[in-house]
Amino acid sequence: MLSNPDTSQSVNPADAAKMPLGARRLVLIGGLCIPVGLVAGPYLFGLQLIAAAGVVAVAIALSYRRGQSWFSRWSWLTTAAGALWVIATVAYWLSIMAAVDGSSSPSSLPTVLFYLGMAALAVMVFGTIAGWTSRLLSDRRSVAAAR
């Protein structure tokens, strides 16, 4: 048993530069989901969604910040956009399958869902890059202040 409950937090400056444990776990999980979804995706649509969810997990992990809470505002934006991307992908697939089965007439809904998904993907990429840039600028400011 640990006598000091705060031993999980780093005091070594070299450890402070590392990715937080939660973000590292998300990279591991997302990194495993992507190849599984890509290999098995042609057989089951649900496994393609695992690949998409893996991409979202990696994007969330890369938008982390340093400090007490690693989940930043950019991580929240990336999470929301990633969830919207996965939901739009599911709805797009269902609408295409319904049109192919002939149970409904072709409509403009698949086109709207496709563009909605692409916009959500773009926002997710923007949130990831913005989180990375924010972390980089914060690190530079803290190095400059330490001098």
Side-chain angles (χ1 to χ4, degrees), residues 14-138:
D15 289 341
K18 291 182 182 176
M19 180 182 274
L21 181 61
R24 282 185 276 169
R25 286 179 178 164
L26 268 181
V27 167
L28 177 68
I29 292 168
L32 291 173
C33 288
I34 292 170
V36 167
L38 291 176
V39 168
Y43 305 109
L44 292 171
F45 175 71
L47 294 176
Q48 289 177 355
L49 291 178
I50 289 176
V55 171
V56 172
V58 170
I60 293 167
L62 294 178
S63 65
Y64 74 92
R65 73 170 174 201
R66 295 193 198 347
Q68 295 289 349
S69 173
W70 68 269
F71 211 76
S72 68
R73 287 176 288 158
W74 297 114
S75 299
W76 282 109
L77 177 71
T78 304
T79 302
L84 181 62
W85 178 46
V86 172
I87 290 169
T89 302
V90 170
Y92 174 77
W93 182 75
L94 290 175
S95 64
I96 293 293
M97 291 284 81
V100 166
D101 289 340
S103 61
S104 68
S105 62
S107 67
S108 63
L109 180 64
T111 305
V112 171
L113 289 171
F114 177 79
Y115 286 120
L116 179 68
M118 292 303 292
L121 180 63
V123 169
M124 186 180 73
V125 169
F126 171 76
T128 304
I129 293 171
W132 178 79
T133 306
S134 172
R135 189 173 58 249
L136 181 71
L137 293 176
S138 171

Side-chain angles (χ1 to χ4, degrees), residues 13 137-147:
L137 293 176
S138 171
D139 290 348
R140 285 188 179 179
R141 280 189 227 116
S142 63
V143 167
R147 291 183 182 176

